[in-house]
Amino acid sequence: MRPLVATIDLSAIAHNYAVAKRCAPGRQAFAVVKANAYGHGVREVVTALHDVADGFAVASLEEAAEVRALHGEARILLLEGCFAADEYQFAAQLGLDVVVHTALQAQQLLAATLRRPLAVWLKLDSGMHRLGFNAAALRDWFGHLHGAAHVGELNLLSHFACADERGSDVSEGQLEQFLELLDLDFAQRSLANSAAILTIPAAHMDWLRPGIMLYGATPFADLGVEELGLRPAMSLTAQLIACRDIDVGDAVGYGGTWRATRPSRIGTVSCGYADGYPRHASAGTPVIVRGQRVALVGRVSMDMLTVDLTDVPEATEGDAVELWEAQLPVDEVAQAAGTIGYELLSKVTARVPRRYRTG
Ligand SMILES: Cc1ncc(COP(=O)(O)O)c(C=O)c1O
């Protein structure tokens, strides 16, 4: 078997969910499990949170159906709502909470034949300008939907654009826009993603929507998981499958982009971009061998990458190589590759086996 595995600590996810809840006592929380639970495996994550999560949030009807099959009662929020008129019927069958962010969605909802009313979350575009109604249109649609036979609860939701920048004026403005609508008689309100759960208590409202923090990665550029009291859930472990000594001036990998400036020992590692490791990780990106940090050198290829083992001469073929883990946060690897932990976690590909542990 190819020596590459993503080990997922389900107790870390349960711990991180509890951290989110502790940040906002008395509030409820949708655990965001879209995109295969950010790469961690939706089945296992929903099962691990079955008895503790108040609800789950997903991006599509297909994802919602998967969660419903695992959990008969939990509230399941469709974050972008339905994508076509015929989906409302299925959403009602599955007993989902649906976001409504366009006039077309609202019209389709009202025109649908539903087995039972749907809990609806009207989405306010409070400044991100990606999804949602402006305040005037939202007030208007509140009038049409409130008390409609198709609508069970009528709720309010919005999303922060810059909550990862602490003290951002943008977030302040978005919060104000949200608060200005609270004269309307919404049953429930939801605004906070992980960054806001952790740093903007005024945004906690009734329902939290923790995503990245559940998986033990940070939404902030300047605040690490340890400081936030979170436990990383995934470690990605490969192996040294070859080692060689090279001379000064020798090049490594495709394009020969990295050249040795000293006699060097090069290790070849069983992980590449087809596994989800970022191809654009620059030379110097850390990986861990025998407990020590060593540097990525040369281009990442499809199934392999190469590292400089010169300072760990005892390293040998068969040694484990940690691409990320508790001691090497995924956020640090992401930064070196010009991306964010969200992308690396959710892009670990299907060919990487997941192993689960609970402590
Ligand atoms: C609408 C919405 N709410 C909540 C989340 C969770 O955000 P985070 O992972 O930053 O906690 C997302 C994630 O993209 C989202 O799109």
Side-chain angles (χ1 to χ4, degrees):
M1 223 177 98
R2 191 159 165 261
L4 176 64
V5 64
T7 304
I8 290 144
D9 179 355
L10 294 169
S11 64
I13 296 175
H15 165 88
N16 296 335
Y17 183 84
V19 171
K21 293 274 290 194
R22 265 205 306 278
C23 286
R27 320 298 165 97
Q28 295 185 282
F30 290 112
V32 181
V33 294
K34 62 189 172 132
N36 197 27
Y38 290 41
H40 292 68
V42 66
R43 215 168 304 155
E44 290 76 6
V45 171
V46 169
T47 304
L49 295 179
H50 187 282
D51 297 336
V52 288
D54 306 305
F56 297 92
V58 295
S60 69
L61 206 55
E62 293 82 350
E63 290 181 345
E66 208 173 350
V67 176
R68 179 55 80 219
L70 297 162
H71 202 309
E73 295 95 47
R75 288 184 79 155
I76 302 173
L77 173 63
L78 214 44
L79 287 166
E80 292 154 46
C82 292
F83 298 111
D86 61 357
E87 291 195 355
Y88 289 94
Q89 217 178 328
F90 295 115
Q93 273 169 27
L94 291 170
L96 307 183
D97 284 43
V98 297
V99 164
V100 168
H101 62 82
T102 65
L104 180 63
Q105 284 184 325
Q107 288 153 0
Q108 288 175 339
L109 165 68
L110 291 174
T113 307
L114 302 182
R115 173 192 284 201
R116 55 183 151 178
L118 281 164
V120 171
W121 294 79
L122 276 178
K123 183 157 188 174
L124 170 70
D125 177 3
S126 54
M128 186 166 179
H129 300 144
R130 186 178 67 172
L131 293 182
F133 298 103
N134 65 32
L138 195 135
R139 282 183 181 279
D140 204 31
W141 278 109
F142 178 89
H144 293 304
L145 295 178
H146 194 243
H150 291 68
V151 180
E153 270 184 8
L154 187 55
N155 305 319
L156 177 66
L157 175 144
S158 192
H159 192 48
F160 282 116
C162 304
D164 53 320
E165 293 165 25
R166 285 183 289 157
S168 148
D169 291 343
V170 178
S171 300
E172 195 68 21
Q174 288 192 262
L175 176 58
E176 257 169 51
Q177 289 226 19
F178 194 92
L179 294 174
E180 276 170 19
L181 283 169
L182 295 191
D183 59 307
L184 298 176
D185 185 23
F186 292 108
Q188 310 278 335
R189 292 141 287 257
S190 176
L191 180 55
N193 56 1
S194 296
I197 292 165
L198 292 160
T199 59
I200 315 180
H204 287 164
M205 306 296 160
D206 304 302
W207 281 84
L208 313 169
R209 304 193 309 271
I212 195 69
M213 68 181 293
L214 295 180
Y215 307 104
T218 180
F220 305 106
D222 59 347
L223 205 54
V225 273
E226 218 169 300
E227 293 159 278
L228 295 169
L230 300 172
R231 282 170 43 195
M234 184 195 288
S235 51
L236 184 62
T237 310
Q239 212 176 77
L240 283 176
I241 58 169
C243 297
R244 75 202 62 249
D245 296 309
I246 63 169
D247 295 325
V248 173
D250 284 351
V252 174
Y254 283 121
T257 55
W258 185 88
R259 277 181 194 281
T261 55
R262 59 177 178 171
S264 300
R265 186 154 180 79
I266 300 299
T268 302
V269 178
S270 53
C271 181
Y273 63 78
D275 302 302
Y277 195 88
R279 182 172 176 276
H280 295 291
S282 50
T285 301
V287 310
I288 294 186
V289 177
R290 295 203 171 213
Q292 293 186 54
R293 287 180 174 224
V294 301
L296 175 79
V297 295
R299 278 192 193 145
V300 174
S301 48
M302 186 180 284
D303 314 307
M304 288 168 276
L305 55 83
T306 36
V307 296
D308 181 0
L309 297 174
T310 315
D311 298 326
V312 191
E314 66 279 19
T316 182
E317 285 159 22
D319 281 358
V321 179
E322 306 291 349
L323 284 321
W324 56 75
E325 52 139 15
Q327 304 311 313
L328 175 56
V330 67
D331 308 295
E332 197 178 327
V333 180
Q335 223 159 34
T339 183
I340 51 178
Y342 295 72
E343 185 177 10
L344 297 195
L345 293 173
S346 61
K347 279 195 174 164
V348 173
T349 58
R351 77 169 178 172
V352 180
R354 270 66 165 175
R355 300 260 164 75
Y356 292 90
R357 59 189 183 87
T358 50

